[in-house]
């Protein structure tokens, strides 16, 4: 096989690849950078796929690509899936070629969870949602059919349901909770959250899991565990991702809920790093964790890139995530789990802060329509060992 050498090789073509290439260039202006991507598009801003592209007429498609190749000189190989990593030889196999490297970054992210149905539509009426191509396909359907189901009531599922209904689609949202958002929000807030969707016209099918069904060129029939059926013109899965650790596992890297990295994002083998959705890293405030959100992709990718180029810096950023639906925006730092003890501090009827406590210690902060407070939330997490419940109310404004 043909062998191509890069000083820096990145496996994965998402936002981590973009920021890593930029991080490399902060330190090394000349080293060769290769990006192996199984996507059909060069790196792009992923949050827009479920947010602004649906709701902001001024945010047009030309704002989606990140310009990675032009800005960094990276050689991006699209439709190129890596099939093997050989750390001892410093080599990666992909698309019938061998790529050698001095330093390697694993940024493989994950693959979306598909629905357990018999899809005879070749993905035309039963979709997953992860890539720009998925967005284009769903956007096309939204203009062609009347009724679309979204399966999954989490972060991506709720955003897709909001996007579709705001674009004139008869939308059904199927999720397993009793109330939309009840896994993360306190009970009253979850009810308020669900009401946003109901008031917008979303049909909510709660407490049910899709257990089977079929899709063909005419639509989809979804079988629910409770015996009910839902019939729609198309269905999209918003069930999250399976983390893509297979390459790392087969290469002998340490894997435990993601590729295990140290504070400098180094894996268990020399000259191999990992970042983004796939990386399990030691957060300085919250301990070891894996984060699947864009702030972590951007910050961790950049840190990994600098370290590939020799910076040897610890990754000290504690990332946040956010969602925006129906005119509300919430941001979160740390762990949001409604089974934890919570302290709610409402500034007014529309703005508030929720603190999540585990054994009396703050482990997460939700900012509901509260702007420019992420650093304040991080300060609370940093001081968690010294704070009591009484110290929390009024602390973030």
């Amino acid at each position: 096989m043909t062998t191509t050498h890069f000083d820096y090789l990145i496996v994965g073509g998402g936002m981590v690849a973009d920021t890593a290439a930029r991080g490399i260039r902060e330190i090394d202006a000349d080293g060769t950078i290769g990006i192996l991507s199984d996507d059909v598009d060069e790196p792009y801003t992923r949050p827009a796929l479920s947010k602004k592209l649906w709701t902001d007429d001024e945010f047009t498609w030309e704002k989606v690509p990140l310009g990675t190749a032009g800005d960094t000189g990276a050689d991006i190989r699209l439709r190129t899936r890596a099939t093997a990593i050989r750390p001892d030889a410093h080599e990666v196999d992909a698309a019938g070629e061998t790529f050698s490297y001095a330093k390697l970054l694993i940024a493989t992210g994950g693959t979306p969870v598909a629905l357990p149905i018999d899809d005879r539509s070749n993905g035309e009426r039963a979709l997953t949602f992860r890539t720009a191509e998925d967005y284009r396909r769903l956007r096309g359907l939204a203009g062609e059919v009347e009724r679309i189901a979204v399966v999954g009531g989490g972060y991506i599922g709720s955003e897709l349901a909001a996007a579709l209904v705001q674009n004139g689609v008869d939308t059904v949202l199927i999720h397993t909770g009793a109330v939309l958002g009840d896994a993360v929000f306190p009970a009253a807030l979850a009810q308020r959250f669900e009401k946003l969707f109901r008031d917008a016209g979303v049909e909510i099918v709660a407490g049910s899991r899709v257990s089977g069904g079929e899709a063909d060129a005419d639509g989809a029939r979804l079988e629910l565990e409770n015996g009910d059926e839902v019939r729609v013109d198309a269905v999209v899965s918003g069930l999250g991702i399976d983390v893509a650790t297979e390459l790392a596992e087969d290469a002998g890297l340490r894997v435990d809920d993601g590729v295990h990295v140290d504070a400098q994002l180094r894996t268990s083998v020399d000259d191999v790093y990992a970042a983004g959705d796939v990386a399990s890293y030691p957060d300085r405030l919250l301990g070891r964790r894996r984060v699947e959100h864009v702030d972590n992709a951007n910050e961790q990718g950049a840190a990994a890139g600098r370290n590939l180029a020799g910076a040897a810096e610890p990754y000290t950023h504690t990332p946040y995530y956010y969602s925006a639906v129906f005119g509300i925006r919430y941001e979160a730092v740390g762990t949001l789990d409604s089974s934890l003890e919570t302290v709610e501090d409402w500034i007014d009827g529309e703005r508030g802060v929720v603190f999540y406590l585990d054994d009396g210690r703050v482990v997460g902060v939700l900012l509901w329509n509260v702007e420019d407070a992420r650093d304040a939330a991080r300060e609370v997490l940093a001081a968690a060992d010294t704070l009591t419940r009484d110290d929390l109310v009024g602390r973030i404004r």
Side-chain angles (χ1 to χ4, degrees), residues 153-339:
Y155 174 76
I156 190 66
S158 60
E159 287 194 347
L160 287 177
L164 288 167
V165 78
Q166 289 177 98
N167 281 269
V169 178
D170 182 3
T171 304
V172 184
L173 178 55
I174 303 170
H175 71 97
T176 57
V179 178
L180 187 63
D182 64 359
V184 291
F185 303 137
L189 184 56
Q191 291 171 359
R192 288 174 55 186
F193 185 64
E194 181 178 282
K195 188 174 185 297
L196 294 171
F197 289 77
R198 292 192 183 277
D199 288 351
V202 177
E203 177 186 344
I204 294 181
V205 179
S208 297
R209 189 183 308 274
V210 174
S211 57
E214 58 193 9
D216 57 27
D218 296 322
R221 181 181 62 84
L222 306 176
E223 300 171 356
L224 306 185
E225 281 187 341
N226 64 5
D228 291 343
E229 286 189 353
V230 175
R231 292 182 179 268
V232 289
D233 298 311
V235 59
V236 57
S237 173
L239 294 173
I241 64 170
D242 289 324
V243 187
T245 59
E246 295 85 355
L247 275 174
E249 291 182 61
D250 292 345
L253 277 65
R254 181 179 176 184
V255 173
D256 181 12
D257 184 32
V259 180
H260 193 281
V261 297
D262 66 10
Q264 294 183 26
L265 307 177
R266 299 174 296 192
T267 72
S268 57
V269 302
D270 292 340
D271 298 327
V272 179
Y273 296 67
D277 295 354
V278 76
S280 168
Y281 75 98
D283 189 282
R284 69 183 183 91
L285 299 181
L286 300 167
R288 183 159 295 277
R289 64 203 305 252
R290 191 179 56 78
V291 177
E292 296 179 7
H293 295 286
V294 63
D295 182 44
N296 188 58
N298 286 336
E299 297 293 332
Q300 200 170 76
R306 290 191 295 269
N307 286 343
L308 286 169
E313 302 169 349
Y315 178 61
T316 59
H317 180 69
T318 295
Y320 81 101
Y321 74 89
Y322 76 102
S323 185
V325 293
F326 302 122
I328 66 101
R329 177 186 172 100
Y330 67 85
E331 301 176 346
V333 183
T335 300
L336 268 59
D337 181 341
S338 61
S339 68

Side-chain angles (χ1 to χ4, degrees), residues 42 204 387:
E42 294 195 3
I204 294 181
L387 298 174

Side-chain angles (χ1 to χ4, degrees), residues 14-46:
M15 297 185 75
V16 170
D18 172 77
T19 56
R22 296 176 190 277
I24 290 167
R25 287 291 178 248
E26 290 180 30
I27 294 175
D28 184 346
D30 302 315
T32 55
I33 303 172
I35 298 175
L36 308 181
S37 173
D38 62 2
D39 207 332
V40 300
D41 297 281
E42 294 195 3
Y44 46 84
T45 177
R46 197 178 298 274

